[in-house]
Amino acid sequence: MIRQITVTVLPEEEKNMNLIQKLVSMELKNQKIETNGQKQTLVFEKKSIDARHGKIKLHLRYKVYIGEEPEDPETELLPEWKNADGNHSVIIVGSGPAGLFGALKLLENGIRPIIVERGERTSERKRNIAKISTRNIVDSDSNYCFGEGGAGTFSDGKLYTRSNKRGDIGKILQIFVRFGADKKILTDAHPHIGTDKLPAVINAMRDFIIEKGGSFYFNSRCTDFLKDEKGKVYGIKAKNVKSGEEFQLEADAVLLATGHSATDIYELIAKISPSAVEAKTFAIGVRVEHPRALIDEIQYHGKTEGMGAAEYRLVTQIEERGVYSFCMCPGGFVVPSATSPDEIVVNGMSAAGRNSKWSNAAIVVETRPEDIPEQFVKQAEKAGSKALAGLFFRSYIEKETKRHGNGQAAPAQRMNDFLACRESKDFPPVSYTPGIVSSRLDSWLPEQIAGRLAEGFLEFGKNMKGFVSKDAVLIASETRTSTPVRILRDKESCESPVLPCLYPAGEGAGYSGGIVSSAMDGEKVAAAISEVLTRRS
């Protein structure tokens, strides 16, 4: 018999297994679970911190094996991967989590994945990213958003998701551990690999996929799709972004996992078939950075010793739109995430230790298709599809941000000055390495964004005393929390309804939002493709 039991202890009692065993036995008794004197084996599953009501408590969840031997929690959900047999192949455009986990899923059925990635391998990608901060050089194909591993590789490696209906979260985490992630991600309430550790995990996945018969094309941007006379997609056209060489690849299907920043892919699909895309809700806002000590003090009510960097999650409704925190990075850094030299985009990340002097989060405003100004709707209609309006609006804000910055130095404002509608004369130290430029964000961010942010900050300050502070710095602009465009697919088959054998997946297609949910979506779509191909065999 196996039961899940959660017990609550104080931080200093976390390692007291005698106490925990007693608490588990009491809870089993409270639940009227008869053990009949059988051996009980506890396997730790999850820890969460409860800092409400001024007293810190730990909730510890255990799987209790009663009269049974426990399974190995690190391997019980791992699949069996096969060598590609050469009978079928699938092109995967993009090597983010949807692409990589899609490739691994295909290998469960011996189907060869061919991964096409516009950016560099992680080793060279690091150099491209460094140039953004040190020389204000943005490589449009290899940056924080594009390159091996996708946007998450150098932007934190956060693995927390509420999308437990999409697939098996535990399996995704075990696969990450299989390729080198720390085992603690299996038990942390908010698992996190860290941007300093994740590249090695991604490299291990790539090497394994190649070992099993898959292949990778780096520095290769998808420029078009190959279609037969019936419109069926049977491959892609691609261009090596370094040499300029153009080439074609053919396969049984194309899994499209290009990420939320691949504007050219949305425009390509809209040009081929405007009905293949639709507008969706996304978000626009800023990064808010506080001194880490301040956030720790607020969240832990002054009892910070030994607790690690504190997290927060904030959400409210302002004028019928959500205002909320996203990608909170305790003990982290704000980083430059532009994908074009004429824009400034910011994001957040943390190393595995989460030990910097700052904590930051995106605070963003829900932006619906009907909120897009008419000028961008008309621009989208001229481009062939009204669904692209959000993309053009996003691009406008990113370029405006650049106009108010200097190189990749981002426009910024103290939170108290933002609320008072005045310029910031000076700033505390910040983590954003390209630097910041004083700017009246309240005066040039669209009113629908700036006004709601201001009200949202005041609401958050009521629940987190000290959140509204002169030491809090707003750094603009955060625009890539999700895509404004969805690439449509059939609910069951996951296939594009107008482009047969094209399978949109992941965050870029509008079906996920983060590493784990994207990985699960990549698996889901790859499983749908595998079912079709194995039926043909």
Side-chain angles (χ1 to χ4, degrees):
M1 179 168 51
I2 303 172
R3 291 290 184 270
Q4 278 188 339
I5 298 294
T6 298
V7 298
T8 301
V9 299
L10 300 175
E12 60 269 23
E13 298 170 335
E14 181 180 1
K15 304 299 182 183
N16 188 339
M17 288 310 298
N18 288 331
L19 171 64
I20 290 169
Q21 183 71 65
K22 289 179 183 178
L23 293 174
V24 168
S25 297
M26 289 172 58
E27 184 60 25
L28 288 170
K29 188 175 181 180
N30 289 340
Q31 294 185 23
K32 297 182 170 49
I33 297 172
E34 296 292 336
T35 62
N36 299 319
Q38 297 180 88
K39 177 184 175 183
Q40 299 173 28
T41 304
L42 275 57
V43 175
F44 180 53
E45 285 199 313
K46 197 75 68 179
K47 175 177 79 171
S48 59
I49 300 172
D50 184 350
R52 296 172 296 176
H53 313 302
K55 190 169 186 178
I56 299 173
K57 298 177 182 179
L58 303 181
H59 300 303
L60 308 178
R61 191 177 79 204
Y62 289 87
K63 186 177 282 188
V64 184
Y65 292 81
I66 303 169
E68 295 185 26
E69 290 301 314
E71 300 164 311
D72 183 350
E74 294 173 28
T75 61
E76 61 179 313
L77 298 175
L78 284 180
E80 291 186 14
W81 293 292
K82 302 175 183 177
N83 291 321
D85 56 24
N87 293 327
H88 296 291
S89 62
V90 174
I91 294 167
I92 299 175
V93 186
S95 68
L100 290 174
F101 278 79
L104 291 171
K105 188 67 180 180
L106 292 172
L107 287 170
E108 290 183 39
N109 293 281
I111 298 169
R112 181 189 176 213
I114 304 168
I115 300 180
V116 179
E117 169 58 56
R118 70 193 298 166
E120 297 272 12
R121 293 172 180 250
T122 55
S123 55
E124 185 59 33
R125 191 177 169 197
K126 288 180 183 178
R127 298 185 182 94
N128 297 138
I129 287 170
K131 290 177 184 176
I132 302 174
S133 294
T134 60
R135 296 166 59 187
N136 287 312
I137 295 174
V138 178
D139 185 320
S140 296
D141 292 297
S142 186
N143 43 60
Y144 272 101
C145 293
F146 298 144
E148 184 176 20
T153 304
F154 292 98
S155 302
D156 213 36
K158 242 182 237 74
L159 303 178
Y160 179 59
T161 181
R162 288 182 169 83
S163 303
N164 52 15
K165 293 182 180 180
R166 295 178 185 268
D168 194 328
I169 296 171
K171 176 186 174 185
I172 300 298
L173 298 182
Q174 285 189 11
I175 290 174
F176 273 117
V177 171
R178 159 66 177 79
F179 290 105
D182 194 305
K183 296 175 185 177
K184 69 180 182 180
I185 68 171
L186 300 176
T187 55
D188 286 350
H190 293 174
H192 163 257
I193 296 177
T195 192
D196 50 337
K197 306 290 186 183
L198 188 52
V201 176
I202 298 301
N203 294 348
M205 286 185 179
R206 175 239 298 156
D207 292 344
F208 181 80
I209 290 168
I210 292 173
E211 177 189 324
K212 290 294 183 181
S215 58
F216 283 76
Y217 290 79
F218 290 104
N219 303 304
S220 299
R221 187 195 305 151
C222 174
T223 59
D224 205 349
F225 302 105
L226 300 176
K227 302 184 295 298
D228 64 17
E229 63 280 358
K230 295 182 179 179
K232 176 183 172 183
V233 175
Y234 66 90
I236 67 167
K237 294 181 181 179
K239 180 179 181 179
N240 186 293
V241 298
K242 288 194 166 183
S243 68
E245 175 193 359
E246 297 182 349
F247 60 97
Q248 298 183 0
L249 294 170
E250 297 182 10
D252 295 286
V254 174
L255 192 160
L256 192 65
T258 45
H260 57 39
S261 294
T263 302
D264 56 328
I265 293 296
Y266 298 124
E267 292 176 346
L268 170 63
I269 292 176
K271 181 180 178 181
I272 294 171
S273 180
S275 63
V277 293
E278 69 177 8
K280 63 177 282 293
T281 295
F282 64 115
I284 297 170
V286 296
R287 272 276 149 184
V288 177
E289 182 168 84
H290 291 80
R292 173 189 158 186
L294 174 58
I295 296 299
D296 291 352
E297 180 78 15
I298 294 169
Q299 293 299 83
Y300 295 142
H301 309 286
K303 301 170 184 178
T304 60
E305 186 176 353
M307 293 305 298
E311 300 181 47
Y312 62 79
R313 181 174 179 269
L314 301 168
V315 61
T316 188
Q317 284 281 318
I318 304 294
E319 297 177 7
E320 301 181 333
R321 294 293 182 268
V323 179
Y324 56 92
S325 62
F326 179 85
C327 186
M328 197 269 150
C329 300
F333 303 88
V334 180
V335 296
S337 294
T339 53
S340 174
D342 61 353
E343 65 194 25
I344 289 179
V345 180
V346 295
N347 195 1
M349 54 141 283
S350 299
R354 289 182 163 177
N355 53 7
S356 87
K357 295 183 291 185
W358 302 275
S359 290
N360 70 77
I363 304 293
V364 293
V365 177
E366 176 189 9
T367 303
R368 299 178 186 176
E370 59 265 34
D371 300 331
I372 307 301
E374 186 63 24
Q375 70 185 90
F376 304 107
V377 176
K378 291 179 179 178
Q379 187 179 354
E381 288 172 341
K382 287 181 181 178
S385 176
K386 188 177 177 180
L388 301 179
L391 278 183
F392 292 120
F393 184 41
R394 182 177 81 175
S395 178
Y396 163 78
I397 291 174
E398 293 166 354
K399 289 175 180 177
E400 273 292 286
T401 307
K402 170 83 173 192
R403 192 169 71 83
H404 290 275
N406 181 15
Q408 282 297 307
Q413 192 174 13
R414 288 180 185 260
M415 185 182 288
N416 64 324
D417 291 332
F418 180 84
L419 293 172
C421 299
R422 66 186 177 220
E423 183 181 357
S424 296
K425 300 298 184 182
D426 56 17
F427 290 99
V430 297
S431 68
Y432 185 72
T433 53
I436 56 176
V437 176
S438 183
S439 177
R440 286 276 309 276
L441 308 187
D442 62 282
S443 68
W444 59 263
L445 281 173
E447 172 55 29
Q448 67 199 65
I449 306 299
R452 288 186 172 99
L453 283 176
E455 291 191 45
F457 293 148
L458 294 174
E459 284 292 315
F460 299 151
K462 294 176 184 177
N463 297 320
M464 283 182 68
K465 303 298 183 183
F467 182 84
V468 175
S469 165
K470 67 181 180 62
D471 293 324
V473 178
L474 316 185
I475 305 175
S477 290
E478 176 89 33
T479 54
R480 307 284 180 94
T481 64
S482 62
T483 172
V485 182
R486 178 175 288 111
I487 304 173
L488 297 174
R489 72 187 189 197
D490 181 82
K491 187 175 181 180
E492 299 299 325
S493 71
C494 297
E495 186 178 29
S496 166
V498 293
L499 294 168
C501 291
L502 180 70
Y503 292 81
E507 194 165 345
Y511 295 97
S512 62
I515 291 175
V516 172
S517 61
S518 294
M520 290 191 293
D521 197 62
E523 282 200 330
K524 174 183 177 178
V525 174
I529 296 172
S530 298
E531 184 178 351
V532 172
L533 296 184
T534 52
R535 276 204 309 262
R536 293 181 191 171
S537 300

